[in-house]
Amino acid sequence: MQVRKLTRFWLLVAAAGPALMLGTSAVAQAPGPDERAAAALSKMTLDEKLQLVFGYFGSDWQGKKPPAAARYGSAGYVPGIPRLGITPQWQTDAGVGVATQGGAAVKRERTSLPSGIATAATWNPDIAFQGGRMIGSEARASGFNVMLAGGVNLARDPRNGRNFEYGGEDPLLAGTIVGSEIAGIQSNHIISTTKHYALNDLETGRKGHDVQIDPAAARISDLLAFQLAIERGDPGSVMCSYNKVHGDFACENDWLLNKVLKQDWGFKGFVMSDWGATHSTEKAALNGLDQESGWPFDDKAYFREPLKDAVTAGRVPQSRIDDMARRVLRALYATGAGDDPVAANAPIDYPVNEAVSQADAEQAIVLLKNQGNLLPLGPNVRRIVIVGGHADKGVLAGSGSSLVYPRGGNAVPGLEPTGWPGPVMYFPSSPLRELQRLAPNASVTFVEGNDPAAAAAAAKSADVAIVFATQWSSESIDVPMALDGNQNALIDAVASANPRTAVVLETNAGVAMPWAGGVAAIVEAWYPGVKGGSAIANVLTGRVNPSGHLPVTFYASEAQLPRPVRPGSKSEMDAFPLPYAEGAAVGYKWVDLKNLQPLFPFGHGLSYTTFAYGPISAAPAPDGGIRVRFTLRNTGKRQGMTVGQVYASSVRQAWEAPKRLVAFAKVNLAPGGSKTVSVNVDPRLLATFDEAAHAWRIAPGSYRLMLGASSRDPRSQTTLTLPGVTLPASWRPAQEAAGPAPRRGERGR
Ligand code: BGC
């Protein structure tokens, strides 16, 4: 450790140049990332600058091979500049771990976290940080110094095929969780990316649809999620998305890239394009794209010869190519990726990393219904019949570029589609085997779910029947808001035969549950990661008390959605206007506004114990926000965790919806125990965005703060009067107001 610190110090000093090395107060004058980027840039030729802003795909594609120095089967590669000590950028997907591109014959087998939406369901930034730290350490140990993680697109529609990669529907929750994951990844001295910026909320037509949204509504919904994640995680880069926004592709969109991200938010890192999302040279460079990624996915190598020509001819100013390269350099220095070399085959402690994934899954699983306390399975339960979902073999994962290949391989190989957007992957962590291990005195048997009548017959005389039901999803496709195949009929049949039926769901996001009233218990396990079977079995048997809460609304039917009929055909290439008329009224805000009764509301999640929420008190904070204090108490007989969720309503100012989540805290309580927590409410969560004034406006007047167990279960409340304040678009909270600071600087294991 000591040696590493010393080496790093001298590298820093050396990069700052000989003058500093001769000086007597080198420590006091250690240059920051801006100075170091400027110093490196001043030594670079135009060709070297251009080299930093052009990325190659890291795998074979349509007969084209990547440069030899790319890591095998990876997402991307940008060559380094050895004469200046500038490292190559080795880029890997994604948010749940180190992925391998589908086309690669040999896969890296690594540790997958639960899906991003699952981590959001923990409502626990510390779990997100630990998960990020773990996958970042595997990226580093696999030779990568850029991780294309940090997906924070809002869940505007439960049918978005990539919901599983993101942080749910609420800007505060998503921004906090994803920002913490980014900080965890970067604690390994590697760059994390946040993506897909912005409004890439449906996969149908993702390469052509044109999002229309009121800019002020975007500022308080999707853009706010990115803003909060960037403030908290400080990622070295942002990936612009495939879609268009207001007529311009996101990767050549002046409003998104220059105005909002760089000017208003002061983002100092670099913008990289999604793979195949660059469409021009001058427009893209001038409107804020800093690095073209994934060549040859684009039609042309826009940022190679054409950019050189444009700079030479003065169509793209020298100052702009300098800015592009400087941003890349700055990110390398700010994160430590530029100083701390990665090695391709460093050892990985898989059991330790799998425990991190399991801890995430155990806090992510949401107990949606538990009639008559069917769960946890007690010692009197002697005959358990498990049905369907390949629960004898493993747990489902989401697919696409983010898919991590697990140690032990696919537990259920050969399911269609086996090629892109597949393969369909089951991680080899069998809920059946884990339940058999945890309940040695019970008979735990399995029936396939293909034949509902046979499954019902097997389940009839069981003490408890547990149906595992799945919805597979992947990048580049959207999915119906439904379980796959005949699983609704299967659940109906089993529940009719045995009222003591529990359903365990492994889904992308919410699905319709026409059988919800007829089963005793429902557990949402999402895509639960490489130790998902163990996590599920621990929750079902009560070794772990469930503490997950929905990070998305579970709608009763597609008729409740802002767009009951999914727009477009099914192709990702489809081009069509996509109006987001609901504006910022996403998820619970939409159902509140329209007075709809969801199947399960945002924030919902049961426990095997009970909690009391309150009292709550609040006072205006000097920054225009609110300081809230509330008490949570465990009123039951088991240790358990709950989340205090604080929602605000503005009595005077018209918001997009009746209430917004403005603060939350997860606490762990012994039976009878209580905790009082204080949290700051960010003033932007109380504001509307005034486009004309280019400012956040918090209206003076009365506000109600409700503390609850979900968005539809308020338990105590208070009101306060705020003086009202206008904050510039560039406002950001002081460090201490941002909540518990992620542990940065500390290297992952
Ligand atoms: C995805 C990105 C991913 C990239 C590189 C794209 O298709 O949208 O999320 O990082 O590929 O694999």
Side-chain angles (χ1 to χ4, degrees), residues 266-607:
F267 178 67
K268 291 186 168 167
F270 65 101
V271 176
M272 64 163 75
S273 58
D274 201 343
W275 274 228
T278 305
H279 298 278
S280 61
T281 299
E282 283 147 49
K283 184 173 180 187
L286 296 175
N287 287 353
L289 178 65
D290 300 307
Q291 188 183 69
E292 177 179 8
S293 307
W295 173 253
F297 276 86
D298 294 320
D299 314 335
K300 262 199 206 164
Y302 292 107
F303 276 19
R304 215 167 47 185
E305 297 82 6
L307 183 57
K308 185 171 183 176
D309 292 347
V311 172
T312 313
R315 295 191 304 273
V316 169
Q318 182 67 40
S319 58
R320 177 64 188 125
I321 177 73
D322 285 353
D323 178 47
M324 292 158 76
R326 190 189 298 112
R327 285 172 173 276
V328 176
L329 292 165
R330 188 194 188 278
L332 290 170
Y333 295 132
T335 56
D339 302 315
D340 197 352
V342 290
N345 287 307
I348 293 175
D349 190 340
Y350 289 107
V352 169
N353 290 355
E354 286 168 3
V356 172
S357 178
Q358 184 172 334
D360 186 340
E362 286 174 349
Q363 288 202 32
I365 292 172
V366 185
L367 181 61
L368 292 170
K369 177 177 181 182
N370 195 18
Q371 199 174 295
N373 292 331
L374 181 74
L375 299 175
L377 304 168
N380 300 334
V381 175
R382 295 293 164 154
R383 255 205 87 205
I384 304 169
V385 172
I386 310 286
V387 180
H390 301 287
D392 55 331
K393 303 215 172 62
V395 287
L396 188 57
S399 292
S401 60
S402 69
L403 177 66
V404 175
Y405 288 79
R407 292 199 304 147
N410 193 344
V412 190
L415 296 178
E416 291 296 338
T418 51
W420 183 265
V424 177
M425 169 69 69
Y426 278 78
F427 293 147
S429 175
S430 155
L432 173 72
R433 280 200 295 277
E434 279 301 298
L435 283 167
Q436 286 168 332
R437 194 173 67 78
L438 297 181
N441 300 325
S443 130
V444 188
T445 54
F446 179 75
V447 275
E448 300 274 357
N450 304 343
D451 179 348
K460 198 170 172 55
S461 56
D463 293 333
V464 175
I466 308 175
V467 185
F468 281 74
T470 56
Q471 178 202 35
W472 180 73
S473 192
S474 180
E475 175 183 341
S476 83
I477 55 166
D478 289 324
V479 289
M481 198 185 90
L483 293 171
D484 298 338
N486 73 342
Q487 295 177 98
N488 286 337
L490 172 70
I491 296 168
D492 273 339
V494 173
S496 314
N498 189 336
R500 291 174 61 80
T501 291
V503 176
V504 177
L505 297 164
E506 294 166 26
T507 61
N508 171 46
V511 292
M513 303 181 209
W515 36 261
V519 301
I522 309 173
V523 174
E524 175 57 81
W526 316 104
Y527 302 144
V530 276
K531 294 294 278 183
S534 310
I536 291 169
N538 278 345
V539 166
L540 294 178
T541 56
R543 277 167 184 74
V544 166
N545 193 348
S547 64
H549 290 259
L550 291 183
V552 286
T553 300
F554 274 19
Y555 299 87
S557 73
E558 295 186 27
Q560 292 186 332
L561 303 177
R563 280 161 295 282
V565 176
R566 199 178 57 210
S569 70
K570 285 202 164 145
S571 159
E572 61 169 344
M573 303 305 296
D574 217 5
F576 56 93
L578 181 52
Y580 282 147
E582 75 276 22
V586 177
Y588 65 93
K589 294 170 182 166
W590 173 257
V591 290
D592 281 358
L593 185 69
K594 298 289 170 187
N595 214 359
L596 301 167
Q597 187 57 45
L599 180 60
F600 295 106
F602 174 83
H604 173 70
L606 303 172
S607 165

Side-chain angles (χ1 to χ4, degrees), residues 222-245:
D222 292 62
L223 297 185
L224 186 56
F226 274 98
Q227 191 174 8
L228 297 177
I230 290 169
E231 286 168 6
R232 194 174 180 96
D234 197 12
S237 76
V238 168
M239 184 190 291
C240 49
S241 53
Y242 287 121
N243 53 298
K244 290 181 179 171
V245 177

Side-chain angles (χ1 to χ4, degrees), residues 48-125:
E48 286 170 335
K49 292 171 190 170
L50 287 161
Q51 192 181 307
L52 283 191
V53 303
F54 184 80
Y56 297 83
F57 186 42
S59 299
D60 296 0
W61 192 69
Q62 295 189 342
K64 298 180 187 106
K65 293 217 168 292
R71 303 280 189 227
Y72 178 79
S74 68
Y77 170 71
V78 180
I81 305 172
R83 84 172 181 94
L84 297 174
I86 295 165
T87 175
Q89 295 157 59
W90 285 287
Q91 303 168 333
T92 182
D93 288 304
V96 294
V98 179
T100 307
Q101 293 292 321
V106 180
K107 312 291 189 207
R108 274 179 195 82
E109 297 189 346
R110 296 292 182 267
T111 309
S112 176
L113 290 170
S115 56
I117 197 171
T119 299
T122 69
W123 292 60
N124 187 338

